Amino acid sequence: MKKIYLTILLFFLLSTNAFAFITFKQSKDISSDVDGLRQINFKPDGTIMYVTVREKDTTSTVDSVVQYSLTTPFDISTATKTSSTSLTNIDKPHAIHFKSDGKVMYVVDNGSLTIEQYNLTTAWDTSTLVHDDNFTVSNEDQLRSLAFKPDGTRMYVTGNETEVVQQFTLSTPWDVASATKDSTESSALTGKEPNPRSIQFNSDGTIFYIGGGGSDSIHKYTLTTAWDVSTLVFSKSYSFSAQVSSSGNSTMTGFIFTANFTKLYITQDTDTRQSQTGTNTIFEYSVACAGTITCNDPTNNDDVKAIIQANVELSNRIIRHNTNSIFHRIEWLRRHKNKDNLTNLNAEVDFSNEVVSNLAKGLASYKKDNTGNLNEEDWFKWSEGRVTLGKRSAINSASKNIHSYGISIGSDKIKDDDPDTMHGYVFQYNNDNVGIGSYGTKLDTNSYSFSLYGTKLRDNQVFTDGIIGIGFLDIDHKRVTFGNILDGKRRGKQIFGSLNLGKRIVDEKLNFNPGIKIDLGFTELEAFRENTTLSDSLADTLIYKKQEVITGLATIGVLLDKKVKRNDEKIINHHGRLEYIANFSPSSDASVYYVNNQSTVYEYKVDNKADRNYRIGYGFDVTSISGWSVIANIERFKADDIGHTTEFYLSLGYVPIDGTKFAFDLKNNESAKAGFNISKNINGFDLKFDYENYLTKSNKDDHLANLSLHKIY
């Protein structure tokens, strides 16, 4: 009775949040197909399942590999037997393994202590197997376990003689006949598993699992050096006795995790070989946190930390990119404002003589009226494109590679009553892609913003620039762990502003623009949940709570510009910058928890580790006589000790040009006169008309007109 209560208690614990990290899903009794179930494997896509069957002492059952087809990948309830192939050269088959292409199969022969190698005429179809070669493992007893390094250059086995993991090097990958035993091996694992049945590594060789019938448990080890079993360090154990030891003399005969470590399968044989009774059962489990058996604090995971950090960094980076583009436009306007007359097409003619002056103004006005609506020409259009490449170093997290681009489209206008003041608006789109680590984790962000800006240049060349804007973020998260893709969508809102104070010092050789700038921003990132691409699995899925990010930057620096060439068609300006940026943004707190264990919330604080930053840049612009300009900039943003970005800007802009005023003075205006004449031949007659008008400031009427008609015979 006590044993029954204990079994019930263990089963209950496995089914509740106390042990919610591995959840029993279902079982399948295949006793009608096999007798003497040993170990199990799957085709990587989960559509085919394989089991090895050991020959019984008192039956006609032969050693074989049995193949099943699964209509739903990795769902054992949909498994249907398709073939049973005899392994005539094997005494006691156990572990089964395949080359990555499915064209070679390996089976452990416990009877002869060998690794048998078979070629498959049709990949993944065991009914087409042909024996190829073998390898004998010495100094071992009860050989049962087998594993390979993914590239086929190393092989690992265990037995009952020493309970150690032996390591072999294959001079020819995937050819067991070329195996040579390494001098290194693991220490004895007897204390954890005295009867090892199965072993398995994770994909990068940093985690090792061993399990068997001695404890009906799976034990997890970490490897200090990947794929070197001499560096095994015990981590934790997980018992499955509640299922596999539930009746008779049942025992665990094998196990396997799927390649992404989100599902676990355990084989059980309850037959004593004396009674020839019992079951042959496969148990299926869902693993909450891939490869960990029990879920760890996610904020200790480098990719998770990098994701949280990247959310904060991109919030700050988008604000900086938005304001930079606007300031590029303002700086360009300032380089050309009240300095360069780029065209004489706007020339204004002014005569000191009142009559002539009025006449000239009248003609000019008439011409403007015929060119179109001037109100539409008051707003000047501009655009800018940006490409950014960068890297953030791995500081307590995975490294990050940054690729982004942005487009700005804006318009601005000189204030009607103040020619030294300009204001405008701009729409901006940014795409920010951050690759994290080396397994495919990334953030892909689309942001949209609208900003208002203005600039004021005073008589003493002191200027003030201001920006205020709002933005919206759409963030696609993708996290990859053990081949499992966990993705989710996050939205965010931003408000930001910037104030720039400086002075323009104009010199014939080089113009200086020293200044100080303050950038402020607030970003609210909404809560979101990861989704798994795997059906019927919540492995590793996290929920991220709402997060707030405050941006604070103080910049002191100098901008330099110089006009190096000018002709009748264009002006060329070179310009550069050198800035020191102090980041006084406060830390941002993030909270996450597992979908299948929402009672435990994990906290992570993103501290400002880039408080000292530098920005250098060089650019040039070429401005045509019509006022259009092409501007190119390259800038380097360096975060102290943790990373950098290199930014390329290409802009198309337009500046309103001040008209040039020409003044003429008519001397001796008492005799100044204007004349008009016309001559035309009409039917052989020459008609001529002359008119003269004296242009004086007095009201004296003095006119002369002549009309003549001539014909030559």
Side-chain angles (χ1 to χ4, degrees):
M1 182 64 70
K2 185 176 179 181
K3 184 177 180 181
I4 295 175
Y5 286 142
L6 180 60
T7 300
I8 294 173
L9 177 62
L10 289 171
F11 185 86
F12 176 78
L13 291 175
L14 281 167
S15 305
T16 61
N17 279 335
F19 291 97
F21 306 110
I22 294 184
T23 304
F24 172 72
K25 302 294 293 184
Q26 60 184 329
S27 63
K28 185 177 180 67
D29 188 350
I30 58 172
S31 299
S32 60
D33 300 326
V34 304
D35 195 13
L37 175 63
R38 286 303 175 257
Q39 297 197 25
I40 183 173
N41 211 325
F42 288 85
K43 185 182 178 182
D45 64 3
T47 59
I48 303 177
M49 179 178 73
Y50 312 88
V51 296
T52 52
V53 179
R54 178 181 172 182
E55 182 182 8
K56 295 304 181 74
D57 291 354
T58 59
T59 71
S60 60
T61 304
V62 297
D63 299 327
S64 60
V65 55
V66 182
Q67 181 172 313
Y68 292 80
S69 169
L70 283 72
T71 55
T72 301
F74 295 110
D75 184 353
I76 61 175
S77 68
T78 67
T80 303
K81 179 182 176 182
T82 57
S83 67
S84 178
T85 306
S86 176
L87 302 171
T88 55
N89 58 319
I90 290 183
D91 183 20
K92 299 174 181 178
H94 276 264
I96 178 172
H97 202 286
F98 292 86
K99 185 182 177 182
S100 54
D101 61 5
K103 294 182 178 181
V104 185
M105 182 183 76
Y106 309 87
V107 179
V108 170
D109 185 353
N110 187 30
S112 58
L113 304 178
T114 59
I115 311 297
E116 301 294 332
Q117 180 173 310
Y118 300 83
N119 292 328
L120 278 65
T121 306
T122 301
W124 305 108
D125 185 357
T126 56
S127 68
T128 67
L129 64 84
V130 178
H131 186 261
D132 181 34
D133 215 330
N134 63 22
F135 176 79
T136 301
V137 179
S138 58
N139 302 320
E140 201 50 88
D141 180 44
Q142 298 292 317
L143 185 68
R144 293 174 175 143
S145 305
L146 174 67
F148 286 87
K149 190 178 179 182
D151 61 3
T153 60
R154 281 187 181 177
M155 179 176 70
Y156 307 85
V157 300
T158 59
N160 280 13
E161 181 69 25
T162 59
E163 285 83 28
V164 302
V165 183
Q166 297 190 51
Q167 179 175 302
F168 299 83
T169 296
L170 280 65
S171 58
T172 302
W174 299 107
D175 183 4
V176 297
S178 69
T180 303
K181 190 177 185 305
D182 294 347
S183 58
T184 59
E185 61 182 28
S186 76
S187 58
L189 306 179
T190 309
K192 299 299 180 184
E193 183 52 64
N195 186 16
R197 297 284 186 137
S198 290
I199 59 174
Q200 188 173 352
F201 290 86
N202 71 339
S203 59
D204 63 5
T206 59
I207 300 176
F208 173 81
Y209 303 91
I210 186 170
S215 63
D216 290 330
S217 299
I218 296 176
H219 314 279
K220 175 186 174 184
Y221 292 78
T222 59
L223 287 82
T224 308
T225 302
W227 304 107
D228 183 355
V229 294
S230 67
T231 66
L232 288 174
V233 178
F234 175 73
S235 176
K236 61 188 66 177
S237 299
Y238 201 104
S239 175
F240 296 89
S241 60
Q243 271 88 34
V244 300
S245 303
S246 59
S247 62
N249 293 313
S250 60
T251 185
M252 177 192 295
T253 56
F255 76 85
I256 189 170
F257 290 96
T258 56
N260 54 33
F261 284 82
T262 60
K263 287 183 177 292
L264 168 67
Y265 303 85
I266 293 177
T267 52
Q268 174 212 51
D269 181 12
T270 62
D271 193 286
T272 64
R273 295 172 47 212
Q274 284 78 33
S275 64
Q276 301 299 312
T277 60
T279 59
N280 297 266
T281 307
I282 303 172
F283 298 95
E284 179 184 329
Y285 300 82
S286 176
V287 183
C289 298
T292 61
I293 300 184
T294 58
C295 291
N296 298 318
D297 184 346
T299 63
N300 291 328
N301 180 277
D302 285 348
D303 279 9
V304 173
K305 289 190 291 185
I307 286 176
I308 297 173
Q309 294 171 4
N311 274 268
V312 175
E313 292 167 0
L314 75 87
S315 299
N316 296 329
R317 187 164 54 250
I318 290 172
I319 291 175
R320 182 168 58 83
H321 285 159
N322 285 341
T323 58
N324 282 352
S325 292
I326 298 173
F327 280 120
H328 286 161
R329 170 65 174 176
I330 293 175
E331 292 162 6
W332 183 76
L333 290 170
R334 194 154 41 241
R335 286 196 295 271
H336 297 282
K337 178 68 174 149
N338 293 329
K339 179 181 179 212
D340 298 313
N341 178 30
L342 304 179
T343 176
N344 58 13
L345 298 179
N346 297 346
E348 178 184 345
V349 181
D350 187 17
F351 294 91
S352 61
N353 181 276
E354 184 178 351
V355 177
V356 178
S357 180
N358 290 335
L359 176 62
K361 292 179 179 179
L363 292 173
S365 178
Y366 176 77
K367 183 179 179 182
K368 287 182 179 180
D369 289 340
N370 284 275
T371 59
N373 187 349
L374 289 178
N375 290 331
E376 295 179 356
E377 299 175 356
D378 287 341
W379 287 92
F380 305 94
K381 308 299 189 295
W382 64 277
S383 64
E384 180 175 80
R386 172 190 54 79
V387 176
T388 299
L389 305 173
K391 185 178 181 67
R392 303 284 282 189
S393 302
I395 300 180
N396 299 322
S397 70
S399 61
K400 297 180 282 290
N401 292 304
I402 302 167
H403 306 271
S404 72
Y405 63 88
I407 300 173
S408 303
I409 300 175
S411 183
D412 41 41
K413 178 182 187 294
I414 296 176
K415 193 174 181 181
D416 295 335
D417 58 351
D418 186 357
D420 292 320
T421 300
M422 175 167 280
H423 57 88
Y425 61 88
V426 59
F427 296 92
Q428 293 170 296
Y429 165 76
N430 290 281
N431 176 269
D432 196 288
N433 190 291
V434 182
I436 297 172
S438 55
Y439 298 106
T441 299
K442 68 177 185 178
L443 268 68
D444 191 359
T445 303
N446 293 311
S447 65
Y448 313 85
S449 66
F450 173 76
S451 303
L452 300 173
Y453 62 91
T455 179
K456 170 75 173 177
L457 179 67
R458 299 179 178 85
D459 293 337
N460 58 359
Q461 298 295 307
V462 174
F463 55 82
T464 305
D465 309 322
I467 301 171
I468 186 168
I470 58 173
F472 302 91
L473 285 66
D474 291 327
I475 310 172
D476 290 335
H477 289 72
K478 177 184 176 183
R479 182 164 65 94
V480 181
T481 177
F482 291 93
N484 185 22
I485 299 176
L486 305 164
D487 55 20
K489 292 185 177 293
R490 188 175 212 176
R491 300 188 183 277
K493 301 184 288 287
Q494 288 186 322
I495 183 171
F496 55 90
S498 185
L499 180 65
N500 184 37
L501 302 174
K503 182 178 178 63
R504 180 163 175 80
I505 303 172
V506 180
D507 187 86
E508 293 183 358
K509 296 182 178 181
L510 192 63
N511 303 317
F512 299 83
N513 299 262
I516 184 170
K517 182 174 63 158
I518 300 294
D519 295 293
L520 297 174
F522 175 79
T523 305
E524 182 181 86
L525 301 172
E526 298 179 358
F528 81 101
R529 168 184 165 168
E530 294 177 331
N531 298 294
T532 178
T533 56
L534 300 174
S535 61
D536 195 32
S537 176
L538 295 176
D540 284 291
T541 53
L542 295 172
I543 296 176
Y544 296 72
K545 289 188 171 183
K546 183 176 71 174
Q547 187 176 356
E548 296 178 348
V549 181
I550 297 175
T551 302
L553 303 173
T555 302
I556 183 171
V558 60
L559 279 66
L560 311 171
D561 66 269
K562 179 179 178 60
K563 183 174 64 181
V564 297
K565 183 179 180 181
R566 178 177 180 179
N567 54 36
D568 295 336
E569 300 293 330
K570 60 181 178 294
I571 294 173
I572 300 178
N573 270 276
H574 291 260
H575 45 88
R577 70 177 68 247
L578 178 62
E579 296 174 339
Y580 171 79
I581 306 169
N583 190 339
F584 56 90
S585 306
S587 60
S588 178
D589 297 329
S591 301
V592 299
Y593 52 89
Y594 289 104
V595 172
N596 49 16
N597 185 26
Q598 300 186 18
S599 60
T600 304
V601 179
Y602 303 90
E603 305 288 343
Y604 183 72
K605 177 179 291 187
V606 182
D607 294 320
N608 177 20
K609 298 185 181 298
D611 55 347
R612 299 184 302 275
N613 307 274
Y614 307 90
R615 181 186 176 200
I616 60 173
Y618 161 77
F620 66 90
D621 58 71
V622 181
T623 308
S624 70
I625 61 173
S626 61
W628 290 98
S629 184
V630 177
I631 309 108
N633 287 278
I634 180 172
E635 297 177 358
R636 180 88 163 188
F637 184 89
K638 180 72 169 65
D640 193 25
D641 297 329
I642 66 171
H644 65 271
T645 58
T646 302
E647 298 164 1
F648 305 89
Y649 298 86
L650 185 64
S651 311
L652 182 66
Y654 181 75
V655 65
I657 308 303
D658 287 345
T660 300
K661 186 175 184 179
F662 296 93
F664 297 89
D665 187 16
L666 297 180
K667 305 295 185 181
N668 302 317
N669 54 22
E670 288 80 5
S671 61
K673 61 182 180 180
F676 174 81
N677 65 81
I678 187 172
S679 114
K680 190 172 181 67
N681 185 276
I682 303 175
N683 296 326
F685 292 89
D686 293 323
L687 178 65
K688 294 182 178 182
F689 176 77
D690 297 304
Y691 172 80
E692 291 183 349
N693 179 28
Y694 286 85
L695 305 175
T696 66
K697 293 184 179 180
S698 66
N699 293 324
K700 181 177 96 172
D701 294 329
D702 196 351
H703 310 281
L704 178 63
N706 294 307
L707 176 66
S708 62
L709 185 66
H710 301 273
K711 184 173 177 64
I712 299 176
Y713 296 95

